[in-house]
């Protein structure tokens, strides 16, 4: 059994896989993603969707695919932000795990990517790092279900991530693919000890090595941007902090502070939500954390 098959079973086995535990990507679970920090990330995504909708001449339907949707938090927070494109939006949550799909309350829910062609935006937030990958040692031998020593230099081959990107681009007749993840290069990873880039998480902390207690912890790998670029070079690559600022996160924080100041004396949910935006922004923009993630975008211009 190669490592890709091992990782597939550890994460996605319908009975014992980690993602069927139903706790991944939740505050009470093993880790949280940007949408789980609070509603601010969804509000920023809503601003991005409005901009892209306008650039595409306000298509109806305007299809938004959240690939690797987990419990559907991004859909709920974008809906709460009520972007201008809402009336035209068709939101599709794509989530392999039945546990994740059972929590979807906004938009459509499916286990597989839909057929195209569509006009819209495909978002993959912390998805590609969880797709099974192959590992090779310095001698070119494939690593399987047995743990190599921490000093062994390994090279990842992320065939499934590349296949996902090719599929996403083929679905779009016009629009944008947005991939948000921690990214590196194949050469960089091969030069570092594998525990630095092939990691596990359990209970909001780093877990054991990926070969220990499969099914009880998340297994995640830095995404090799050069391998994705071999499929199709991205049109734009920035860090998440810059991407969030481009789509008005600071303006949203100012609005939140104003709501807090206006309603602090009376209290209420709106005032408290406004106050929380500054705290959420700090986490989302942190260059040592979520703000340091990479955002890569591929544009499909459509017919001339």
């Amino acid at each position: 059994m190669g490592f890709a098959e091992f990782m597939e079973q550890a994460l996605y086995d319908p009975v014992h896989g980690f993602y069927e535990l139903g706790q991944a990507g939740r505050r009470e679970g093993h880790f949280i993603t940007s949408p789980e920090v609070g509603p601010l990330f969804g509000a920023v995504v809503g601003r991005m969707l409005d901009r892209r909708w306008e650039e595409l001449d306000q298509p109806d339907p305007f299809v938004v695919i959240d690939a690797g949707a987990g419990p559907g938090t991004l859909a709920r927070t974008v809906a709460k932000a009520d972007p201008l494109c809402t009336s035209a939006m068709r939101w599709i949550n794509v989530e392999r795990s039945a546990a994740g799909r059972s929590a979807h309350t906004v938009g459509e829910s499916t286990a597989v990517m839909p057929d195209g062609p569509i006009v819209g935006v495909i978002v993959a937030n912390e998805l590609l790092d969880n797709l099974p990958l192959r590992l090779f040692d310095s001698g070119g031998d494939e690593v399987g279900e047995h743990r190599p020593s921490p000093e062994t230099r390994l090279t990842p081959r992320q065939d499934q991530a590349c296949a996902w990107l090719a599929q996403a681009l083929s679905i779009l007749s016009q629009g944008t693919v947005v991939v948000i993840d921690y990214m590196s290069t194949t050469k960089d990873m091969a030069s570092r000890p594998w525990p630095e880039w092939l990691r596990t998480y359990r209970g909001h902390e780093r877990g054991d090595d990926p070969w220990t207690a499969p099914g009880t912890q998340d297994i995640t790998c830095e995404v090799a941007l050069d391998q994705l670029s071999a499929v199709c070079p991205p049109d734009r690559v920035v860090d998440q902090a810059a991407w969030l600022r481009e789509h008005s996160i600071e303006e949203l924080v100012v609005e939140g502070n104003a709501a807090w100041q206006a309603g602090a004396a009376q209290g209420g949910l709106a005032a408290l939500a406004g106050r929380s935006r500054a705290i959420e922004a700090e986490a989302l923009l942190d260059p040592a954390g979520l703000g340091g993630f990479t955002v890569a975008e591929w544009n499909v211009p459509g017919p001339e």
Side-chain angles (χ1 to χ4, degrees):
M1 178 188 297
F3 184 76
E5 292 78 14
F6 172 83
M7 187 173 173
E8 174 75 25
Q9 291 185 10
L11 294 183
Y12 301 110
D13 181 86
V15 177
H16 304 293
F18 173 78
Y19 282 101
E20 288 302 336
L21 298 176
Q23 296 297 306
R26 297 185 180 186
R27 286 185 176 273
E28 68 272 22
H30 295 278
F31 61 87
I32 60 172
T33 61
S34 293
E36 295 290 338
V37 170
L40 179 59
F41 185 80
V44 177
V45 170
R47 293 285 183 97
M48 178 274 291
L49 293 175
D50 276 343
R51 179 180 297 184
R52 196 65 183 116
W53 184 57
E54 292 287 350
E55 292 170 347
L56 293 170
D57 295 327
Q58 301 184 359
D60 188 356
F62 176 54
V63 181
V64 179
I65 298 174
D66 182 8
T73 305
L74 184 59
R76 290 190 291 273
T77 53
V78 170
K80 183 177 180 180
D82 193 24
L84 296 174
C85 61
T86 296
S87 62
M89 189 188 303
R90 177 190 172 198
W91 188 286
I92 304 174
N93 299 289
V94 180
E95 172 56 43
R96 285 189 62 175
S97 76
R101 293 195 303 276
S102 69
H104 295 168
T105 57
V106 174
E108 303 170 33
S109 181
T110 178
V112 297
M113 291 284 279
D115 295 328
I118 64 167
V119 176
V121 175
I122 300 174
V123 179
N125 179 57
E126 293 194 59
L127 167 66
L128 272 59
D129 63 281
N130 286 129
L131 296 184
L133 65 144
R134 301 171 70 189
L135 294 173
F136 295 86
D137 64 22
S138 57
D141 294 324
E142 187 164 4
V143 175
E145 57 189 309
H146 300 294
R147 175 185 178 272
S149 70
E151 296 78 24
T152 303
R153 288 295 192 263
L154 300 179
T155 300
R157 185 177 300 170
Q158 297 174 318
D159 298 330
Q160 289 199 30
C162 293
W164 181 89
L165 176 61
Q167 180 187 21
L169 291 171
S170 72
I171 288 171
L172 285 174
S173 62
Q174 190 175 11
T176 304
V177 175
V178 181
V179 173
I180 306 172
D181 232 311
Y182 36 74
M183 297 190 190
S184 184
T185 66
T186 306
K187 182 178 179 180
D188 176 73
M189 285 185 273
S191 70
R192 295 153 54 201
W194 61 260
E196 293 184 8
W197 47 266
L198 181 63
R199 300 185 285 269
T200 65
Y201 291 93
R202 179 194 291 122
H204 297 280
E205 296 180 350
R206 289 286 294 269
D208 299 315
D209 68 77
W211 291 267
T212 299
T216 67
Q217 56 188 356
D218 188 26
I219 303 174
T220 178
C221 180
E222 293 177 14
V223 177
L225 183 57
D226 58 308
Q227 295 185 32
L228 298 183
S229 298
V231 176
C232 181
D235 292 282
R236 188 160 177 268
V237 178
V238 296
D239 63 43
Q240 175 165 291
W243 188 81
L244 292 172
R245 289 189 174 100
E246 176 187 342
H247 296 294
S248 306
I249 189 172
E250 290 168 336
E251 178 183 324
L252 288 165
V253 171
V254 170
E255 290 179 3
N257 287 336
W260 166 248
Q261 292 169 9
Q266 294 79 26
L269 293 178
L272 292 173
R275 185 184 188 187
S276 73
R277 282 187 175 180
I279 300 171
E280 294 172 38
E282 184 177 354
L284 294 171
L285 296 172
D286 181 5
L290 294 170
F293 277 28
T294 298
V295 181
E297 296 182 339
W298 288 261
N299 294 319
V300 177
E304 294 293 337

